[in-house]
Amino acid sequence: MLHRPIAVFDSGLGSLSVVRELRKTIPTENFLYYADKMNFPYGGKTKSELKDIIVKSIKFLEKYQPKLIVMASNTPSIQIYEEIKNNFSVDIIPTRLPLKKTINLSRKKHIAIMASRGTLESKEFDYQIKKEVPQQIFVEKIDSTKIISLVEEGTFLFDQKLTYQRIKEVIKPHIDNTIDVVALCSTHLPIVKNYIEAVLPSIKLVNSSTEVARDVKNYLKYTGDLSKNGTGKFEVLVSAEKNNFQSILRSMGVRELIFDVSLQL
């Protein structure tokens, strides 16, 4: 068992984009990555279902005595976080929509947000857009559920042509020359960032995974709990489909041990 790790979780591969950013930003920390494959996708759940899943996941991760827990998925971070953040013995860091950075980068006052259907259709998302985006900024919503599934299935590793075509089919109907910045508001999306860049070569992309890594480092500095020395270790837990998940991770260069925790849940 890792000593006081930072626990990072979502419904599958999405957490990996956050873990990668975290390991670059704070390489001295231990990381525990929990892929809740049993409940993929979070974006397809009702709010009530999602709340039950997230609470159960956090209680499970508390057993590992983490420094903090990162909710590495935009959907529950937007819909559930505010309701449950004070209910646990460990602090929770959400994955926020990187709206401020996206707006600041836009010169044409027209941005797009790529996210799961669950995120885009939630009243919490609409509230956040109204609260944080000035009225003169136009916001295009791009339902990226099909791309998220493409990532989770590992298709992007084995069929580049299909991956590019699918991503193009999802994005292109929503993009014209008035949009200059796109926010990647699912943690699965940075994993295929190179494909999205190929479809949108002249558009800036903003990555929510980078933002959450910065939030975690700032939190650890504030609490005085940032590890100063050494090289952090990394372990992976998965709640279902271990063999398939391990095969995808190995193809992505992840060599660490992967533990099936389905019987512990």
Side-chain angles (χ1 to χ4, degrees):
M1 192 161 144
L2 294 175
H3 177 66
R4 297 190 69 227
I6 294 166
V8 184
F9 80 98
D10 94 322
S11 61
L13 269 183
S15 293
L16 191 59
S17 73
V18 175
V19 169
R20 282 173 167 174
E21 293 296 333
L22 284 164
R23 294 185 82 193
K24 278 194 285 185
T25 306
I26 40 177
T28 53
E29 298 292 339
N30 292 329
F31 291 100
L32 185 68
Y33 161 30
Y34 171 46
D36 187 16
K37 289 282 291 179
M38 189 184 295
N39 291 301
F40 177 83
Y42 285 166
K45 304 287 186 288
T46 67
K47 185 174 177 180
S48 174
E49 289 170 337
L50 190 57
K51 185 176 179 180
D52 288 345
I53 290 164
I54 298 303
V55 168
K56 186 178 178 183
S57 295
I58 293 171
K59 285 182 176 175
F60 167 69
L61 289 170
E62 281 183 308
K63 295 188 294 188
Y64 293 85
Q65 301 174 357
K67 288 185 178 182
L68 68 145
I69 296 174
V70 180
M71 194 182 286
S73 174
N74 294 85
T75 303
S77 294
I78 291 164
Q79 293 190 50
I80 309 295
Y81 171 73
E82 289 296 331
E83 286 184 32
I84 66 168
K85 63 182 180 182
N86 298 318
N87 297 352
F88 306 98
S89 61
V90 180
D91 284 339
I92 315 296
I93 300 281
T95 302
R96 302 181 189 280
L97 297 176
L99 293 175
K100 186 176 180 183
K101 186 172 182 180
T102 305
I103 293 162
N104 289 343
L105 283 172
S106 180
R107 296 290 168 265
K108 297 183 178 180
K109 308 302 180 192
H110 193 175
I111 64 173
I113 294 176
M114 294 180 65
S116 71
R117 190 176 302 116
T119 295
L120 297 176
E121 292 181 355
S122 68
K123 66 179 190 296
E124 292 84 3
F125 175 84
D126 285 341
Y127 173 76
Q128 201 167 343
I129 295 295
K130 285 172 186 168
K131 182 182 169 190
E132 296 186 33
V133 179
Q135 282 190 320
Q136 68 269 28
I137 304 277
F138 292 97
V139 178
E140 182 75 22
K141 299 178 186 180
I142 303 177
D143 179 357
S144 303
T145 303
K146 288 181 180 177
I147 300 176
I148 293 165
S149 294
L150 191 86
V151 172
E152 194 62 35
E153 293 157 6
T155 305
F156 70 101
L157 291 165
F158 313 113
D159 194 334
Q160 294 181 341
K161 187 176 179 182
L162 175 64
T163 302
Y164 178 80
Q165 197 58 40
R166 185 80 55 80
I167 290 173
K168 187 177 177 183
E169 285 169 7
V170 169
I171 294 175
K172 275 295 188 182
H174 299 274
I175 299 290
D176 58 28
N177 59 12
T178 67
I179 292 174
D180 58 352
V181 188
V182 173
L184 306 182
C185 295
S186 159
T187 52
H188 282 73
L189 296 175
I191 292 171
V192 287
K193 185 168 175 257
N194 56 328
Y195 287 98
I196 298 171
E197 286 172 334
V199 174
L200 304 173
S202 60
I203 289 178
K204 296 185 182 78
L205 302 180
V206 179
N207 183 348
S208 59
S209 298
T210 309
E211 302 291 299
V212 76
R214 188 195 63 206
D215 288 346
V216 170
K217 185 174 184 179
N218 289 341
Y219 170 90
L220 292 173
K221 279 184 174 177
Y222 175 76
T223 58
D225 212 5
L226 188 65
S227 296
K228 301 290 193 299
N229 303 305
T231 302
K233 294 177 181 172
F234 178 40
E235 281 183 9
V236 183
L237 313 177
V238 64
S239 65
E241 301 176 33
K242 182 199 166 183
N243 291 340
N244 181 50
F245 186 68
Q246 181 169 278
S247 173
I248 292 170
L249 286 190
R250 295 290 182 255
S251 297
M252 295 176 72
V254 176
R255 296 284 170 259
E256 281 77 10
L257 290 172
I258 298 167
F259 298 96
D260 180 349
V261 294
S262 56
L263 297 177
Q264 298 177 34
L265 297 168

